[in-house]
Amino acid sequence: MSSPPAIDRALLQQLAELARLHLPQDRLGVLLPRLQRVLAAFEALRDLPTSEAEPSPYPRPLPMALRLDAAEPALPLEQVLANAPRSAAGAFVVPRVVEG
Amino acid sequence: MTTFTTVIGLEVHVQLATQSKLFSPAPAAALGDPNTRVHVIDLGLPGVLPRPNAAAIALAVRTALALGGDVRRVSRFARKNYFYPDLPKGYQISQYEEPVCLGGSVPLDDERSCRLHRIHIEEDAGKLTHGDLGTLVDLNRAGVPLVEIVSEPDLRNPADAHAFLGNLREILRFAGVSDCDMELGSMRCDANISLMPAGATEFGTKVEIKNLNSLKMVQRALEYEERRQAAVLSAGGRIAAETRSWNDETGESRPMRSKESAPDYRYFPDPDLPPLVLDEAFVETQRRALGELPQARRRRYRRTYGLPEYDIGVLTQETGTGDWFEAVVRAGIDAKTASNWVMSDVLPAQRERATALADFPVSPARLAELLRMLDEKALTQVSARQVFRHMLEHDGTAADAMRQLGLLRIADRDVLGPLVAAAIDALPEAAAAVRAGKDRAIDALKGNVMRATKGRADPGLVDEMLRAAIGPPSDIA
Amino acid sequence: MNALSQLSAAAIVRGLRAGDFLARDVTSACLDRIAQLDPTLHAFLGCRPEAALANAAAVDAANRRGEPLGALAGVPVAWKDNFVLAGEIAAAGSRMLEHYRSPYTATVLKSLEAAGAVLLGRTNMDEFGMGSSTEASAFGPTRNPWGRDLTPGGSSGGSAAAVAAELCPLALGSDTGGSVRQPASLCGITGLKPTYGRVSRYGLIAYASSLDCVGALARTAEDLALWLDVASGLDPADPTSAPCHGGVFDRLHDRRDLRGIKIGLPWELNGPGLDDEVAAATRNAAGHLRELGAELVECSLPNVAHAVATYYLIATAEAASNLARYDGVRYGLRRDVAGRCEAMITASRSTGFGEEVQLRILLGTFALSYGYHDAYYGQATRARTLLRQDFERTFATCDLLLCPTSPLAAFPLGSRIDDPLSMYLCDALTVPASLAGLPALSQPCGFASDGRPIGMQCMAPAMRDDLLLQVAHVYQQHSEHHLRRPLP
């Protein structure tokens, strides 16, 4: 009856890397069983026959209104940088990025 | 020595010529000091939502129509999720499973073309500069509207890749979609290339080449990569699936990163943006705005007018030129005459004035009128040019100009008859000499008539009328 | 003397127009009560007394000059910490945004300001809206005015507690899967989640974009009608906002009873898994609605059984993407660690996000990841279609649907926080309307034997928010549950 858990240690570690979250072993030990329990409870959804149904990424059909192409003044630089943890020469500064 | 077949596919990013960004009202011109062209939307601040730009959608549709693609009436924006400091929201809004256009093609020459896989709309990322402090992030470019044009792997040599890009650029400039400046980055190209043994049907391992900033660079980089891969394969080696960066100074490419483990972008429909539904009227408006493409126009000029290739080239360089030329022809002027005048008189005058042809002081109809008079020999080539110059400066018809210039040619027998008689009366010796068979003596008589008409008398007619009045040379002499 | 802080929004507007009191006095009364009670309740994360009093004084001045007053003139309003107001902190209950000040204002706050509302301060919430108890706030939980050891619900727990304790008559909330309705129910007040798209989301810090709705909490349905007319309308800044009809407040009093209204009771939401007292209170309220003229019918939403799974897969997938912008580059918490930019981003996110947020980001990343995308996110979006079709079928014969708001009344703080699944299952009754984008309203319908309030939920077809409010108003004209207050 019980299928293997959808998510294991290795996969969780991989997801954490994708999501840019650091998961030390102790945190992983807490989060893994919680996620497994949640996903186990969601297993029944996978058996729901849905082949006839179109996906609904939105709650209800809405038309998308388009904006007319007119440029507005930009946000003043001091406001652009007001919340920046680090900035210099009008730019945000981050630790050196290695290309590629 | 094995011979190989080269397989090339291109991915071209083209910046759409809009005033504002794809999803924000910040100016789309990515010039200026760092972070001075950004809106809260471009910063990806908490709570912001995208505001799609109608002009960007319109230009993407026009791109699709110009390249003969199938404009999808329903398409969708999707999020491409990845982390990079130049990507403010942690995802790029692009199109994935449902792009705005499927198919299409780019001509390589008059016979061959390269099929397109798809065209989709997406936003640009910011710019990183690496310095001593660390890496500087400038978001001026973030959110600038792009279309990505993805070719099928139909190209078989680097020269075709060059032709593809050259023709694509011509078409998109013509369509008013983009200025397609590779050096300034408004057109960017990544090339995929693989080699397979001649006659094989399965493509080899492909390598992606980046950092290609001109048409020539694309061709050189592909030629280099073609040689490199052939050498590796001939030596029994294997090609690594990787991305390489071209260095035009050294004339070599270097590996940037391996492509063995494809990143997981976790695409899904952007829940902030309902489906993009294009009605027929919207697409039709873009089709009308597009007009006839250079390739099609050249074919038509060849077929319909039989013009020399040089003329066709000049006349189809810009939409306005061809339109102007055709208006002259429609007014009843022979195509070659019209072409000569457009090339040697209209275009130089337009350049001198730096105006659009639409604002040119002489209309095609008025030039046609002038050319009809020329054709009827109502004036000479030389005075026709004089008239044209006059028309550039003064509003009016060719006839007005000729009247003002005193150039209206007199070819009316009733007007010329008394003048011819008066000349013979005034110069009886000359008339006698002509009668005596001295043919050159007629020039003096003609000169008299021309003087009397200030040069406006039709010389052929005057000649004919003088001879008729004097009578045939006598045999008596 | 707290009488002024006990007034409803509608009563404040009427009183100001009649010259019975000053807006300044109403705001002062609310600020006094906040000073008195909030140290215990912890409903507010930040108050702006000077600005609020200045707003109120401006309303009084305009009133003295005889200028027409806005629809919410002089009404003190609190807003959930996930709405941005220019120059103010907007932290969304997160350490990540603890010091973040927005350079722009949310559309709904602009509308409130334009209508003369007095913006009091921002209220506590589960971090980024992810929780049902306010315990997932980085700044500590809010307590339920009905019992200090009880949760006020969440994620708009601060707003619910503030309104229930009469710290203000009206508060903004956001409702992604029940975050307005559930705390309204647990705190014995009335909460409205409008139709998706009816109120602009621009300036609401996103949790799950296809589910997030701007809502409000008040002590009467009448106040919510007043609010809805001010807040709703097409906003060019929100591509998912929709045009709608105003005049909801003006038409609120059109109906004196419920004759001609057919109310469906979906058996899946009215039977299994409910606390006995909750089930009984809802049954009694349904009986009361019948006495008022409504026709009650049994109905079924077969796919509602999958709603919690559907909701959590879609919501967390969208959240994983929406929260990717918090990378320490442009704003928010930053942890520089030796080495590369990537390490900085990981360290900042791991420090800035709390446990529940990280859990949901991981769940959502899983639902979208290669190899699982179609079976989880894809399957959930298809199940959502089936649920929408269930609602369409049901609304073909019913005007409204009725069920409890929460399967249980306010639960003790600390009792569920370590068991996310049990917390998620508490949302079973509210997530269906969220998935279908339908308007839904929770209002008090009874009390447990120990005095904890119980709420019932009505759902209506899209854009029938007006009907929802009319029916709630009729019920409140003929019942007193909504008048009982927890604190002196």
Side-chain angles (χ1 to χ4, degrees), chain B residues 71-98:
Chain B
V71 176
R72 311 300 298 173
R73 293 308 186 264
V74 179
S75 68
R76 211 187 280 276
F77 288 102
R79 294 185 181 179
K80 180 182 184 179
N81 295 285
Y82 65 96
F83 287 91
Y84 210 61
D86 67 1
L87 190 68
K89 299 184 294 299
Y91 59 83
Q92 178 195 31
I93 305 178
S94 180
Q95 296 190 301
Y96 185 55
E97 280 174 334
E98 298 166 74

Side-chain angles (χ1 to χ4, degrees), chain B residues 43-44 46-47 81 88 264 267, chain C residues 104 201 203 321-322 330-331 370 373:
Chain B
L43 285 168
N81 295 285
D264 183 356
Y267 282 100
Chain C
Y104 77 103
R201 292 186 292 121
S321 176
N322 281 333
R330 299 164 312 286
Y331 51 82
Y370 181 78
H373 192 290

